[in-house]
Amino acid sequence: MSKSLGQNFLMDRNILEKIVDAAGLSPEDHVVEVGAGVGGLTVLLAQAAGRVTAVELDRRLVPALEEATEGLSNVEIDNEDFLKYDLAKAARRGGDGAYKVVGNLPYYITTPIIAKLFEKDGGGAPPPVTLPASPPALAVLMVQKEVADRLLSPPGKKTYGAISVLVQYYAEAEPLFPVSREVFFPKPQVDSAVIRLTPRDISADESAITEHMFRLVRAGFDQRRKTLRNSLAAVGHPEPILLVALEKAGIDPIRRAETLSPRDFYALASHLM
């Protein structure tokens, strides 16, 4: 195991089973597991799904993962970095290209992993090496509790930030259940939570507007104490044009970024193109 890779292994079988149940798996499903570790969750996923692709970066864990899944013909192990992983290739293993994602995400790569799963154009974050042809049917993810609070936070809360906008633009996010730090080895410093992300239908949105929207999000939250009028003017939007766009989008210029929903940001971006 490697602290440098953020490895904390979930030891409670009841919690593992709840994660599998939350994914609503059937023999027709293909699951891509992020950070399979030593295979505790992998085995249960394989018992519920038709196919499991277990992605694990730490090569030192692969022998234990292979031993845990020995005899399970529906498990394929990929010793790769998930951020560079070809999800399109993995999706094709499921036949029709559909897949679900399940995983325990290390804190330091939570945002880029979620961006990789749902973004097609890299608008909300620096794009990962390989973007999916289509998002997963759903993702059941275990993250640090404070991260879950940010991902699920509604506008107007201190916990609402750029990552909240990113997630809630692309997916319906719902909390499932908390996970105590006591059920991990080694025990981490914080508790965790399991959440479920289900992609929204944003097929009518224009990718160029979405890309510009996330530039507005970054500008707004980089100076979150400023009003939108001031924070967006500071990054080069002429004030007269900005005020007209805000009016057309139905947004008061004195509001701050933290009060805008993802759709508010999209509407504003559409009037600033």
Side-chain angles (χ1 to χ4, degrees):
M1 79 188 56
S2 171
K3 287 186 178 180
S4 67
L5 297 177
Q7 302 281 25
N8 297 98
F9 303 117
L10 180 59
M11 308 303 292
D12 188 303
R13 184 181 175 89
N14 178 57
I15 297 294
L16 291 171
E17 290 176 345
K18 288 177 69 174
I19 292 172
V20 174
D21 289 345
L25 299 175
S26 74
E28 288 72 46
D29 283 319
H30 173 210
V31 178
V32 177
E33 183 185 6
V34 184
V38 295
L41 179 59
T42 314
V43 171
L44 297 180
L45 291 170
Q47 292 170 354
R51 179 181 288 272
V52 176
T53 297
V55 184
E56 174 52 54
L57 172 60
D58 193 340
R59 65 180 180 275
R60 293 167 295 180
L61 300 178
V62 172
L65 179 57
E66 290 175 336
E67 182 178 354
T69 58
E70 186 177 2
L72 296 173
S73 60
N74 62 336
V75 175
E76 186 156 358
I77 298 169
D78 287 339
N79 178 206
E80 297 186 44
D81 181 349
F82 189 79
L83 290 179
K84 299 177 181 178
Y85 189 67
D86 188 348
L87 267 174
K89 178 184 73 174
R92 288 193 294 271
R93 290 175 181 166
D96 61 0
Y99 65 103
K100 296 179 178 180
V101 170
V102 177
N104 175 16
L105 306 189
Y107 170 77
Y108 70 101
I109 55 172
T110 296
T111 298
I113 283 180
I114 291 176
K116 179 181 178 72
L117 291 178
F118 292 100
E119 288 191 314
K120 291 188 177 67
D121 56 14
V129 173
T130 306
L131 291 164
S134 60
L138 61 79
V140 175
L141 306 173
M142 183 159 55
V143 297
Q144 287 191 5
K145 184 181 182 302
E146 65 181 50
V147 175
D149 290 342
R150 292 204 296 272
L151 299 181
L152 302 168
S153 178
K157 300 287 187 180
K158 289 184 178 179
T159 48
Y160 187 72
I163 183 60
S164 315
V165 179
L166 170 71
V167 170
Q168 293 172 35
Y169 172 73
Y170 284 108
E172 184 76 32
E174 56 183 313
L176 296 180
F177 50 87
V179 182
S180 169
R181 70 192 73 181
E182 302 295 333
V183 298
F184 291 91
F185 180 81
K187 184 170 75 172
Q189 302 271 325
V190 297
D191 294 326
S192 296
V194 176
I195 64 173
R196 181 164 51 215
L197 305 178
T198 305
R200 296 184 188 276
D201 181 5
I202 54 170
S203 57
D205 289 357
E206 296 182 25
S207 60
I209 295 176
T210 300
E211 185 175 351
H212 188 56
M213 162 191 162
F214 282 110
R215 287 198 289 269
L216 300 181
V217 170
R218 284 194 293 272
F221 283 101
D222 281 349
Q223 304 182 73
R224 64 185 297 156
R225 288 183 174 273
K226 290 187 176 182
T227 65
L228 285 167
R229 177 177 186 170
N230 292 331
S231 63
L232 298 184
V235 294
H237 290 284
E239 188 167 337
I241 295 174
L242 178 59
L243 290 175
V244 170
L246 285 164
E247 182 179 2
K248 288 182 177 179
I251 299 169
D252 191 321
I254 67 170
R255 289 174 63 182
R256 295 184 172 91
E258 64 194 37
T259 69
L260 268 62
S261 72
R263 298 314 306 180
D264 290 334
F265 275 111
Y266 185 86
L268 177 57
S270 71
H271 293 296
L272 281 172
M273 292 293 290

